[in-house]
């Protein structure tokens, strides 16, 4: 009930293209869905987060789409740039309890010129 | 500026040694976490702490213990290091409240030989 499944494991996208990373969760009590971005040699950093009361959230070129009934959410990176090359982790958690989140397995994105 | 500092970037230890990984945060956060990051497995929670001297097991606590004597410091202890504990270890902290961002340290690459 705690798993978060993330796909694909790796992704190569041409500069200017759209990068799409998908995640699925099992626990219907989850109500917080962040995405973290990790560059080589650095710790992950929060990129964008969504709550299940909205179906989409956009921040610049990054958009989270959320489908509560399917228990799925995805990250879209529009106009992908070489500087977006990083590992992306989705996560899911809930406001109650100790508020810990469960992370997906990560997607290594490479944007080629 | 928010800061989570891990005491070592790289560490090499021998099998059977007792290993201490230290993490300090300067944000007065209530919650602190230790994760290990392995390729294809993402970030897996080892232990977390929601207050001084309080700790909870995460998803993979076997072979590890933790200590939190002061609010700003959270230590991960490998009682008897084994080769299967070779990994990247990440410390994170979060403030209390709902849906708060986790801030990560830069990671400690531990190799057990």
């Amino acid at each position: 009930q705690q798993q978060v499944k993330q796909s694909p494991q790796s992704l190569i996208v041409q500069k200017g293209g759209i990068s799409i990373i998908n995640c699925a969760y099992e626990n219907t009590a989850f109500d917080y869905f962040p995405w973290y971005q990790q560059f080589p040699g650095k710790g992950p950093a929060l990129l964008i987060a969504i709550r299940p009361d909205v179906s989409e959230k956009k921040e610049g070129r990054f958009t989270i789409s959320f489908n509560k009934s399917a228990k799925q959410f995805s990250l879209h990176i529009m106009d992908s740039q070489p500087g977006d090359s990083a590992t992306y982790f989705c996560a899911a958690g809930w406001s109650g309890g100790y508020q810990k989140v469960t992370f997906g397995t990560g997607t290594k994105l490479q944007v080629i010129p | 500026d928010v800061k989570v500092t891990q005491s070592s970037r790289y560490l090499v230890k021998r099998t059977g040694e007792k290993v201490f990984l230290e993490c300090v945060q300067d944000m007065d956060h209530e919650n602190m976490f230790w994760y290990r990051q392995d390729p294809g497995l993402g970030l897996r929670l080892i232990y977390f702490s929601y207050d001084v001297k309080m700790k909870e097991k995460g998803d993979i606590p076997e072979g590890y213990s933790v200590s939190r004597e002061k609010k700003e410091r959270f230590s991960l202890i490998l009682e008897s290091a084994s080769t299967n504990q070779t990994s990247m270890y990440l410390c994170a902290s979060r403030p209390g409240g709902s849906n708060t961002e986790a801030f990560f340290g830069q990671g400690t690459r531990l190799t057990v030989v």
Side-chain angles (χ1 to χ4, degrees):
Chain A
Q1 284 256 324
Q2 305 298 328
Q3 267 194 317
V4 177
K5 294 181 180 177
Q6 183 173 348
S7 63
Q9 190 169 347
S10 63
L11 185 59
I12 299 175
V13 172
Q14 207 119 41
K15 179 182 174 182
I18 302 173
S19 304
I20 302 174
I21 304 170
N22 299 300
C23 285
Y25 63 99
E26 298 174 352
N27 192 332
T28 54
F30 287 159
D31 61 359
Y32 176 59
F33 303 89
W35 285 87
Y36 282 80
Q37 180 187 53
Q38 183 182 30
F39 293 106
K42 303 285 187 182
L46 182 67
L47 182 64
I48 186 173
I50 196 169
R51 293 199 60 177
D53 50 354
V54 297
S55 59
E56 187 175 281
K57 183 175 181 179
K58 187 174 180 179
E59 286 186 5
R61 296 183 293 106
F62 299 89
T63 300
I64 301 178
S65 298
F66 186 81
N67 185 331
K68 189 174 181 179
S69 60
K71 294 188 286 185
Q72 295 175 347
F73 57 112
S74 60
L75 176 69
H76 291 63
I77 307 174
M78 313 301 286
D79 187 26
S80 299
Q81 299 296 312
D84 298 329
S85 298
T87 299
Y88 293 82
F89 294 96
C90 63
W94 64 92
S95 306
Y98 299 120
Q99 302 168 43
K100 62 188 178 101
V101 295
T102 299
F103 284 85
T105 51
T107 297
K108 188 170 183 179
L109 171 65
Q110 185 182 357
V111 182
I112 53 176
Chain B
D1 203 17
V2 161
K3 210 163 194 179
V4 178
T5 304
Q6 295 183 229
S7 54
S8 306
R9 290 297 301 270
Y10 300 95
L11 215 49
V12 180
K13 295 293 182 181
R14 295 197 180 277
T15 302
E17 272 193 81
K18 190 168 186 176
V19 181
F20 293 85
L21 302 183
E22 306 286 344
C23 176
V24 177
Q25 50 102 356
D26 64 358
M27 298 162 285
D28 202 38
H29 287 170
E30 287 83 356
N31 306 303
M32 296 188 75
F33 305 82
W34 275 106
Y35 293 90
R36 64 177 282 176
Q37 181 177 6
D38 300 288
L41 297 177
L43 278 68
R44 294 180 292 165
L45 182 64
I46 304 171
Y47 267 97
F48 65 101
S49 168
Y50 52 92
D51 202 350
V52 175
K53 296 192 187 294
M54 307 303 289
K55 61 186 179 185
E56 289 285 335
K57 292 179 180 179
D59 300 318
I60 51 164
E62 296 79 19
Y64 304 94
S65 62
V66 290
S67 172
R68 194 168 179 200
E69 296 296 318
K70 294 184 177 181
K71 190 175 186 180
E72 67 270 19
R73 188 180 295 271
F74 192 36
S75 303
L76 180 69
I77 303 156
L78 286 67
E79 295 290 341
S80 177
S82 64
T83 54
N84 62 13
Q85 292 178 309
T86 292
S87 186
M88 171 68 81
Y89 289 88
L90 289 163
C91 174
S93 72
R94 286 176 74 178
S98 299
N99 304 333
T100 54
E101 177 182 353
F103 295 88
F104 283 84
Q106 79 277 23
T108 296
R109 171 73 65 183
L110 172 67
T111 302
V112 182
V113 297

